[in-house]
Amino acid sequence: MAAITEIPGPKGLPLLGSALDLRRDSLELFLRARRDHGDVVRLSAGPPGVRSVLHCVFSAEGVQQILASQAANFRKDNQFYEELRQSAGNGLLTAQDADYRRQRRLIQPLFTKRQVDTYAAAVTLEADGTVERWRDAAEGVVDVVREMDRLALRTVSRILFGADVEAAVDVIHDNFPVVSEYVMRRGFSPVNPPRSWPLPSNRRAEAASRAVYAVCDRIIAERRAADATAGAASAGSASTTAASAEGDDLLSLLSRASSEEDGSLDAAELRDQVLVFLVAGHETTATSMAFALHLLARHPEVQKRAHEEADRLPSGRAPSAADLDELPYLTRVLKESMRLYPAAPVVGRRSVEAAEIDGHLIPAGADVLVLPWVTHRHPDLWDDPERFDPDRFTPEREAARHRYAWFPFGGGPRACIGQYFSMLESVLAVAALLRSYELEAVDTEVPLAAGITLQATGPARVRLRARG
């Protein structure tokens, strides 16, 4: 059967197409587009002459073709990724081709299961700090979106920099949302003024980017100076080994990463990787933890099962990496939360050559979106898809589903390098919080928007009750 060349889609307004719907509520627009037009949909936005055209793919089979089996034909060459490169550097998230392959080979050993398990102590240390801080919450109410953002940012900062946590947390927290909003607006706008123009938006974004880069540069420089001093001291002491002069946090491991084939990361590459891990490594996990807590607070019967499982862990110590296998139900809770609230709700690519995707012909040079937000709710893949049901992720039910029915970490050769770390952090941190608190929902609905990551545009408050 020949591929369908006329791809259906909403007509939108005569002059603006679907531009207003994309701006008002893109997540709802994408759901409606699948429901009304099928699994491959064409959206246009903007006035004639500068109109953007998006090809949206919703089926699991189509997602697999774009991210995996035809991945070489669908690249991070679109406008959004170019804007992100200019604002956040050429790290693992944005690099391509030889740059990406080299960076991935150098960094992969830092994210093996054995290495990631060593990061668990930082996770539980920060989770325990959150437990203690919550004891002073006003009226026993906290916003889990804000709280999990803080917890995840402190955790990844501690893993990156060791004890030097505070130096990065406030700067990233205050400045990166400015960069994120700027990248999103320019990434999907049909026309952008040059970044060099002295517009207020350009100046704010440039100042925010400089602040984020400056804190990364300062910490890296201080660490290298400290390592050099310690190394010189150890060289003169028979009782101190050179290895002891080097830190074991992720920054030190990144600094030492090298191979005969790939060399090592230069100063700019090191900074770009640090920034990727600070930003991508905290926002995605924060989203997963926040909505897991939000859903648990709204579903007391699920929360009760999660409490019972967390309570079976050995008392008197924080959860560790070795406990992860003892938390299968809580792992299912996190996976179901990530189904309903995927941290990256929209993933973009650009086609190199024309390709047949799920029976439709995608032209060369097309902007293509795959959307966990929609595929994770596809009625052909999920019964009663809006219902929160962690038991969708029992091993038997997972094995029976299409591999790309659930893809919060992407897939194929560009799958997220930190997916095991994200799951480890999410499950252990939530377990630590549940051992100390029961949660009751104050806000039952949370308004959302699609940014670089899924954005809560209102609070997700829960009332805490300390457990004995």
Side-chain angles (χ1 to χ4, degrees):
M1 182 180 296
I4 299 171
T5 56
E6 292 294 327
I7 299 175
K11 292 182 180 178
L13 298 173
L15 289 179
L16 296 178
S18 296
L20 294 182
D21 286 335
L22 279 168
R23 182 177 293 272
R24 288 192 193 110
D25 190 344
S26 62
L27 297 175
E28 176 57 32
L29 172 63
F30 294 135
L31 288 170
R32 189 168 66 247
R34 188 215 62 79
R35 185 174 63 244
D36 295 346
H37 301 286
D39 282 336
V40 181
V41 173
R42 183 182 184 274
L43 290 172
S44 61
V50 290
R51 180 162 289 180
S52 298
V53 177
L54 303 172
H55 295 78
C56 306
V57 177
F58 304 124
S59 69
E61 292 81 3
V63 172
Q64 182 171 20
Q65 288 175 288
I66 289 165
L67 295 185
S69 60
Q70 298 186 44
N73 193 53
F74 293 93
R75 296 165 49 83
K76 292 187 174 184
D77 279 339
N78 58 24
Q79 181 174 317
F80 167 77
Y81 279 109
E82 181 54 36
E83 292 292 336
L84 188 58
R85 283 185 199 98
Q86 291 191 48
S87 290
N90 194 42
L92 203 58
L93 180 63
T94 54
Q96 296 201 99
D97 303 325
D99 282 347
Y100 173 77
R101 291 189 294 272
R102 174 177 167 273
Q103 290 178 23
R104 180 115 186 179
R105 285 194 299 265
L106 284 169
I107 295 168
Q108 185 70 57
L110 281 59
F111 287 90
T112 62
K113 181 180 183 300
R114 174 180 291 183
Q115 182 61 42
V116 167
D117 284 349
T118 68
Y119 307 149
V123 172
T124 52
L125 180 65
E126 292 299 336
D128 287 346
T130 300
V131 167
E132 291 303 315
R133 213 166 53 80
W134 280 5
R135 300 195 193 284
D136 297 324
E139 299 180 352
V141 174
V142 298
D143 179 354
V144 292
V145 170
R146 291 179 60 87
E147 290 294 313
M148 292 305 99
D149 185 76
R150 182 182 187 276
L151 171 57
L153 183 51
R154 286 183 60 88
T155 298
V156 75
S157 296
R158 183 172 294 281
I159 290 166
L160 267 169
F161 307 132
D164 194 1
V165 175
E166 302 296 342
V169 168
D170 289 343
V171 174
I172 298 294
H173 190 271
D174 292 344
N175 288 282
F176 198 76
V178 177
V179 177
S180 177
E181 190 277 333
Y182 182 73
V183 167
M184 284 299 298
R185 181 162 44 80
R186 290 178 62 89
F188 291 97
S189 174
V191 179
N192 283 312
R195 285 179 173 236
S196 60
W197 285 10
L199 302 173
S201 59
N202 285 348
R203 287 177 170 176
R204 282 194 301 271
E206 176 63 21
S209 290
R210 282 200 308 268
V212 170
Y213 273 129
V215 75
C216 294
D217 286 342
R218 180 174 60 78
I219 293 172
I220 291 168
E222 290 173 355
R223 173 61 51 76
R224 285 181 159 170
D227 285 350
T229 301
S234 69
S237 172
S239 61
T240 305
T241 66
S244 68
E246 297 177 323
D248 290 325
D249 55 61
L250 190 54
L251 175 56
S252 294
L253 295 174
L254 280 168
S255 298
R256 302 199 299 266
S258 64
S259 72
E260 289 187 8
E261 178 184 2
D262 298 308
S264 60
L265 298 172
D266 63 30
E269 289 176 320
L270 183 60
R271 181 185 65 179
D272 289 347
Q273 303 307 336
V274 166
L275 186 56
V276 165
F277 295 145
L278 271 175
V279 176
H282 103 265
E283 284 201 335
T284 52
T285 306
T287 299
S288 300
M289 294 191 296
F291 284 105
L293 293 174
H294 169 67
L295 288 164
L296 287 168
R298 290 175 52 199
H299 297 84
E301 72 289 352
V302 176
Q303 186 179 163
K304 183 175 183 293
R305 286 183 64 181
H307 274 134
E308 291 170 350
E309 185 177 78
D311 289 345
R312 288 195 290 269
L313 296 178
S315 60
R317 67 164 175 80
S320 69
D323 295 320
L324 200 59
D325 290 340
E326 305 304 316
L327 297 166
Y329 186 69
L330 192 52
T331 300
R332 297 202 292 272
V333 167
L334 263 300
K335 287 183 175 181
E336 174 70 342
S337 302
M338 294 160 71
R339 180 184 73 83
L340 288 168
Y341 298 99
V346 181
V347 178
R349 295 289 190 268
R350 179 167 285 172
S351 60
V352 179
E353 299 177 349
E356 182 176 340
I357 300 296
D358 200 16
H360 293 74
L361 186 65
I362 304 293
D367 285 316
V368 181
L369 302 180
V370 295
L371 300 105
W373 182 261
V374 180
T375 305
H376 288 187
R377 289 170 164 78
H378 200 304
D380 291 349
L381 301 169
W382 308 94
D383 295 329
D384 193 6
E386 294 293 341
R387 179 169 54 90
F388 176 55
D389 178 12
D391 284 332
R392 298 180 196 273
F393 289 90
T394 61
E396 298 78 16
R397 293 176 73 177
E398 280 195 289
R401 269 196 303 272
H402 193 287
R403 159 66 183 84
Y404 285 86
W406 183 83
F407 60 109
F409 298 109
R414 298 298 299 245
C416 175
I417 196 172
Q419 57 186 288
Y420 175 69
F421 168 65
S422 181
M423 288 301 301
L424 176 100
E425 178 182 357
S426 299
V427 173
L428 293 187
V430 171
L433 298 173
L434 290 179
R435 293 200 331 176
S436 295
Y437 294 102
E438 292 180 6
L439 312 174
E440 177 187 353
V442 175
D443 299 304
T444 55
E445 299 296 329
V446 180
L448 301 168
I452 294 179
T453 56
L454 185 67
Q455 301 292 312
T457 57
R461 293 169 296 177
V462 303
R463 181 167 286 107
L464 307 169
R465 283 196 292 271
R467 305 180 71 212

